Amino acid sequence: MIIGTPRETADGERRVAMTPSSVRQLSKLGHACKIESGAGEFARFPDGEYVDAGAEIVGNANLLWESSDVVCKIRPPVESEVDLIRGGQTLISLVYPAQNESLLKNLNSRGATVLAMDMVPRISRAQKMDVLSSMANIAGYRAIIEAGNNFPRFFTGQITAAGKVPPAKVLVIGAGVAGLAAIGAAVSLGAIVRAFDVRPEVAEQIESMGAEFLFLEFEESGSGEGGYAKPSSPEFREKQLALFRSQAPDIDIVVTTALIPGMDAPKLWLEDMVLAMKPGSVVVDLAAERGGNCDLTVPDQKIETSNGVTIIGFTDFPSRMATQASNLFATNVGHMIADLTPDKDGVLVHDMDDDVIRGATVAKCGEITFPPPPPKIQAIAKPPQKAPELTPEEKREAEIAAYKKTTREQVAMLVVGAVLLLAAGMFAPESFMQHFTVFVLACFVGFKVIWGVAHALHTPLMSVTNAISGIIILGALLQIGSASTLIAVLAGISVLIATINVVGGFLVTRRMLAMFQKS
């Protein structure tokens, strides 16, 4: 198959759906690659790199569409591009079929097979093709960079001869892929980060990244299908807004990411909250494309309010990091084509029984196949049901039952061990029993000694390793004076190797400690 990639026609779009590295990846699958001249220019991929990777440069979009069996692009095709699609051709791009019903009908009328990369189901096997997560990751990171560019202070706190600089306080609303990326970037820059999400199960993820999760005392789960949040009840929303109002005067930077696919962005950061923020504060609204989470957001613009708060409503954050975004997008598409080419022979096999391919396919052979059926494997496992609380009497009965079970298991093990020892004593030679007794005692004493070691070194593993090495040295020293030359040589080698391990452990520990000492 010939896979072609045209130049993106949307204003300000700098990404490209095929990179030189993805050309090599697709070539290994038996496909030939074509790309429109200059398509990768804004993403820092000149035509020469594509030629070196084995792609053919095509002079204009018309020739590329005509000569390609599969066309990969980023943005949904515009009307002029739809007119270039022919029957039997395959289009792989973002489509947003739920929001672009007329576009889907037009694509289907052309007889093309259309795979919407935004419809890849959120199951484990499909993560390598999830372009929404790839682009959201970039958007979250870039949001912090844009905020830092407009924030008039440091992110990290400092104490200098000129005075004390307090750390910036960042609030991230929504802890999906974009929110977690924003949290990670802000924490790494030294800011104090707080985060909120309607899904309580993400609290552990937020806290593991060094941020504080803002709990809301309200019994309602915001977890929806496919890993997204669901719309909140009016009562929950009022509690949520009250929490945000209490945070607004103290927060320097707000990053909002709350967005449910196919719906307008919920208004979460209202005008009164913006007016309560300090001059110089920044709001970055990642939901600006769907109206924004902030009341004052203007899509594709950066504005400053009367009280000196900067509100950034850019809708092209991934495009502002075109090289990285193109690499990730092209890799996602490459994985999709790899699944479509199971035999790596350059022939597409459109298996509609495959959950991932079926989920992404929105039109095929003149038939609209959107919406897809739910995947056979659920995208996000349901939270485990809480066990019913037991009464004190029931707890006591359960503890007694568990104790009796453990006792029975221990008695059974002792009986089996006694029978085995009795059998060994009856049939094994006397010398064997003497050595076996020493062996058992050594194991018992060694176990008690090793696991009783205090973890004084920089890792518990190294402490235990050094304890084991010490026991080896002790045993080898007892054997080093043996009358047997072989035993003496082996004992000497044991002492040497174990000593190297002990000395090396302390040297590594010394180096580790030196990293935290002031020079």
Side-chain angles (χ1 to χ4, degrees):
M1 291 285 185
I2 298 175
I3 301 175
T5 298
R7 179 199 292 260
E8 295 294 325
T9 57
D11 291 339
E13 182 55 74
R14 303 168 65 87
R15 294 171 293 174
V16 61
M18 183 185 290
T19 63
S21 61
S22 72
V23 169
R24 297 183 183 93
Q25 178 186 359
L26 296 173
S27 298
K28 293 177 182 178
L29 298 172
H31 299 292
C33 299
K34 293 185 177 182
I35 188 162
E36 184 181 351
S37 179
E41 176 184 357
F42 294 119
R44 310 293 184 183
F45 299 121
D47 289 349
E49 289 190 17
Y50 286 102
V51 173
D52 293 341
E56 178 184 342
I57 305 299
V58 180
N60 60 70
N62 288 4
L63 288 175
L64 185 131
W65 284 86
E66 288 175 7
S67 60
S68 299
D69 302 305
V70 181
V71 176
C72 300
K73 62 189 310 295
I74 292 180
R75 295 274 188 163
V78 296
E79 186 176 350
S80 60
E81 291 175 319
V82 173
D83 293 339
L84 296 174
I85 297 176
R86 66 178 190 275
Q89 203 168 34
T90 298
L91 172 67
I92 301 176
S93 75
L94 297 173
V95 177
Y96 306 111
Q99 295 84 48
N100 294 324
E101 188 177 348
S102 59
L103 171 62
L104 181 57
K105 290 180 178 178
N106 290 339
L107 290 170
N108 185 60
S109 67
R110 305 292 296 183
T113 296
V114 182
L115 282 88
M117 292 301 293
D118 50 283
M119 289 300 299
V120 170
R122 288 196 156 184
I123 58 178
S124 297
R125 186 168 63 84
Q127 289 180 356
K128 60 185 179 181
M129 311 170 207
D130 190 353
V131 298
L132 294 183
S133 293
S134 296
M135 298 302 103
N137 184 25
I138 293 174
Y141 173 83
R142 183 70 186 198
I144 295 298
I145 301 302
E146 292 288 345
N149 188 44
N150 289 274
F151 185 58
R153 290 196 288 108
F154 295 141
F155 267 68
T156 185
Q158 294 187 13
I159 298 178
T160 70
K164 181 180 178 181
V165 179
K169 295 179 180 178
V170 178
L171 172 62
V172 178
I173 301 176
V177 176
L180 292 175
I183 291 169
V187 168
S188 67
L189 289 172
I192 296 174
V193 184
R194 301 166 188 168
F196 175 82
D197 197 285
V198 296
R199 300 163 297 170
E201 60 266 23
V202 303
E204 188 176 343
Q205 299 177 44
I206 291 169
E207 291 171 351
S208 69
M209 298 183 72
E212 175 190 357
F213 181 72
L214 300 179
F215 285 95
L216 194 62
E217 294 183 2
F218 194 89
E219 290 294 329
E220 177 177 308
S221 174
S223 302
E225 295 182 359
Y228 295 102
K230 67 180 181 182
S232 304
S233 66
E235 296 79 11
F236 184 88
R237 175 175 168 78
E238 288 304 316
K239 287 279 189 180
Q240 188 181 35
L241 295 180
L243 174 65
F244 294 158
R245 284 192 180 94
S246 67
Q247 293 288 322
D250 191 43
I251 293 297
D252 300 305
I253 294 169
V254 177
V255 178
T256 65
T257 71
L259 190 61
I260 300 173
M263 300 179 65
D264 290 336
K267 297 298 181 182
L268 300 176
W269 202 256
L270 307 184
E271 183 175 0
D272 64 298
M273 301 174 192
V274 176
L275 296 177
M277 297 177 75
K278 300 183 288 289
S281 300
V282 180
V283 176
V284 184
D285 195 339
L286 292 181
E289 195 167 5
R290 299 293 297 176
N293 296 134
C294 179
D295 269 346
L296 303 181
T297 296
V298 179
D300 294 313
Q301 292 187 32
K302 179 177 71 174
I303 64 170
E304 185 172 327
T305 63
S306 57
N307 64 321
V309 176
T310 300
I311 301 177
I312 301 172
F314 299 150
T315 60
D316 60 346
F317 285 104
S319 187
R320 289 170 181 262
M321 300 184 70
T323 303
Q324 184 68 75
S326 298
N327 273 319
L328 294 180
F329 193 100
T331 300
N332 293 144
V333 171
H335 286 306
M336 173 63 77
I337 296 176
D339 270 24
L340 289 166
T341 319
D343 296 328
K344 299 182 181 181
D345 56 357
V347 178
L348 295 188
V349 179
H350 208 103
D351 183 7
M352 293 294 276
D353 291 328
D354 184 299
D355 277 341
V356 179
I357 296 173
R358 175 63 188 90
T361 303
V362 295
K364 186 177 187 293
C365 301
E367 178 186 357
I368 293 178
T369 58
F370 174 82
K376 302 182 187 73
I377 302 173
Q378 291 298 318
I380 302 295
K382 291 183 179 180
Q385 297 292 328
K386 289 184 178 179
E389 292 192 9
L390 302 176
T391 62
E393 293 78 10
E394 291 173 332
K395 287 182 179 178
R396 177 64 178 167
E397 290 177 2
E399 290 173 357
I400 292 173
Y403 175 77
K404 289 181 176 179
K405 181 182 177 183
T406 304
T407 302
R408 286 194 299 269
E409 291 175 352
Q410 291 175 345
V411 170
M413 291 178 63
L414 287 172
V415 170
V416 172
V419 170
L420 292 175
L421 283 175
L422 180 61
M426 291 175 62
F427 301 104
E430 184 180 351
S431 59
F432 171 81
M433 292 305 298
Q434 291 176 350
H435 290 300
F436 183 72
T437 303
V438 173
F439 174 75
V440 171
L441 290 174
C443 289
F444 179 77
V445 172
F447 177 83
K448 290 295 184 180
V449 169
I450 290 169
W451 293 110
V453 170
H455 299 153
L457 303 179
H458 75 276
T459 65
L461 177 62
M462 187 163 289
S463 295
V464 172
T465 303
N466 278 8
I468 294 172
S469 298
I471 291 176
I472 292 172
I473 292 173
L474 180 61
L477 288 174
L478 293 175
Q479 296 296 328
I480 206 165
S482 173
S484 171
T485 305
L486 177 60
I487 293 176
V489 170
L490 291 176
I493 294 173
S494 300
V495 170
L496 175 63
I497 295 175
T499 304
I500 291 173
N501 189 45
V502 172
V503 173
F506 281 103
L507 287 175
V508 170
T509 301
R510 185 174 178 277
R511 285 196 175 189
M512 292 289 293
L513 293 175
M515 294 172 62
F516 300 95
Q517 293 175 348
K518 293 182 179 180
S519 57

